[in-house]
Amino acid sequence: MDISWIPGQADAVVVAVASVAVLGGVVAAWWTRSRASRPSEPLAGSSPAPPPEAPLDAGAADSRGSAVVVDVPEDIDDRFSRRRSRLGGALGERLAGFFGRRELGQDAWDELEEALLLADVGAAVTEQIIVEVRARVQGGDESPKEAVRAAILAAIDPDADRSLHVGVAGAGDLAPVLVVGVNGVGKTTTVGKLSRVLVAQGYSVVLGAADTFRAAAADQLETWGVRVGVTTIRADVDGADPASVAFDATQAAQREGVDVVLIDTAGRLQNKAGLMDQLGKIARVVTKVAPIREALLVLDATTGQNGLAQARVFAEAVPLTGIVLTKMDGTAKGGIVLAVQRVLGVPVKFVGLGEGADDLAPFDAEGFVDGLLGD
């Protein structure tokens, strides 16, 4: 310390003061360190502080490695019945006059035909239903409403196999499932919701983000996967070869002993030839690892008869095994179920009845008819 500026005998005093200050600082530092090294004692009458909680067992992490709490999907058994009212019952409202008639003249049959066509049932199925209703009513044992219900149910084919053929959960027999459809119908969202359906049934799942042409499709699918605790296999860059991603996802699922791999395919194709080439390539590379168990077509129910043209193109590109109809809770008229089944010859297996994560429900033929008629 420089004290040359202080005159005379004050030097000694300053030195003494400075020494005391330095010594005090040393003692204070020692006391602080010794206190910090010992656990704090609780105050009298208080309880000891609880130990710190262990991190939540999230079971998954997002792309940044952050822990995420995994959802528990809703049981699938009652999903459709709990959401049946969302179908709206528009057809039943249109047919209220027909149901109330005591005599069924030609104007009554015209009324029934118009209502069915407006519901997107399609001309061929409408004719089939009218013939069935006539026969039932003329038999005298059924009311017009009972006859219409029975005829629509018969046209839907309540005995069709609408299950997903993905084997037994935990058996280690990989079941690849292709999900196809044009962009905008809710295809990627449907893949995410299907993963929740399968997890709710006890299956292990891997997602394959093979829709590499649509920006953020892989991010969207990965978000669904993280929420339900399943892995998503994706490309490092946008525009990668979809077949390569599908192959990698199937291989990864096989290697890890997973039950089901759900593959989201690209829908941004401008011509049928390109569509068939791409889906054909995906099917070939996936089959090298395991045979494809299901090929599901996702259709927007609100497009009505216009969606049937899309359905025909995809049916030519890949052998379809089932249909998923989205947005059935919106402005959809319902009859598309009958029309698309007739055109493709495969059953509707799932319907989207809302925007919630668990609003994808297994199709229930009888519940659907009752919802359509407003019962």
Side-chain angles (χ1 to χ4, degrees), residues 63-308:
S63 57
R64 296 166 296 181
S66 302
V68 177
V69 177
V70 173
D71 294 346
V72 177
E74 178 186 328
D75 186 82
I76 71 168
D77 291 339
D78 299 321
R79 287 191 186 185
F80 191 96
S81 61
R82 285 196 293 266
R83 296 164 174 81
R84 191 180 71 185
S85 61
R86 299 180 185 179
L87 291 170
L91 179 59
E93 293 176 3
R94 292 193 188 97
L95 289 176
F98 178 83
F99 294 153
R101 289 177 180 267
R102 293 184 177 181
E103 296 184 2
L104 299 177
Q106 186 56 45
D107 57 338
W109 297 111
D110 290 343
E111 182 181 355
L112 174 60
E113 180 181 22
E114 181 181 9
L116 292 171
L117 291 174
L118 289 174
D120 284 334
V121 171
V125 182
T126 293
E127 182 179 354
Q128 173 188 338
I129 290 174
I130 291 175
V131 170
E132 179 79 9
V133 172
R134 281 182 182 273
R136 289 178 174 275
V137 170
Q138 289 172 358
D141 295 331
E142 296 181 359
S143 67
K145 186 171 185 177
E146 291 171 337
V148 168
R149 184 188 184 279
I152 293 177
L153 185 59
I156 289 178
D157 188 5
D159 297 325
D161 182 5
R162 302 180 191 276
S163 61
L164 279 183
H165 296 278
V166 291
V168 178
D173 185 16
L174 179 62
V177 176
L178 298 186
V179 183
V180 303
V182 300
N183 286 348
V185 298
K187 174 172 53 63
T188 299
T189 296
T190 296
V191 175
K193 291 184 178 182
L194 273 174
S195 70
R196 298 178 66 89
V197 168
L198 291 167
V199 169
Q201 294 177 295
Y203 290 92
S204 56
V205 179
V206 163
L207 302 178
D211 185 357
T212 59
F213 296 118
R214 185 168 67 87
D219 291 339
Q220 180 185 355
L221 192 62
E222 186 173 28
T223 298
W224 279 102
V226 167
R227 287 180 60 183
V228 78
V230 305
T231 300
T232 300
I233 305 300
R234 54 180 297 176
D236 295 331
V237 295
D238 291 337
D241 179 24
S244 177
V245 176
F247 181 74
D248 290 345
T250 309
Q251 269 199 327
Q254 182 80 287
R255 185 170 57 250
E256 297 298 325
V258 170
D259 298 321
V260 182
V261 56
L262 292 173
I263 301 173
D264 180 24
T265 61
R268 189 184 65 84
L269 295 168
Q270 304 304 320
N271 57 72
K272 186 170 69 174
L275 171 68
M276 296 182 73
D277 288 345
Q278 184 186 104
L279 292 180
K281 183 179 179 182
I282 289 175
R284 287 193 301 273
V285 300
V286 169
T287 304
K288 289 180 180 179
V289 182
I292 295 171
R293 301 286 187 86
E294 294 275 358
L296 303 176
L297 173 64
V298 181
L299 286 176
D300 179 346
T302 64
T303 61
Q305 295 293 311
N306 293 332
L308 296 182

Side-chain angles (χ1 to χ4, degrees), residues 9 20 49 100 104 107 255 274 325 356 370:
Q9 297 180 350
V20 170
L104 299 177
D107 57 338
R255 185 170 57 250
L325 284 172
D370 289 339

Side-chain angles (χ1 to χ4, degrees), residues 333-345:
K333 301 171 184 177
I336 186 65
V337 170
L338 292 88
V340 73
Q341 284 191 160
R342 182 181 179 88
V343 168
L344 299 182

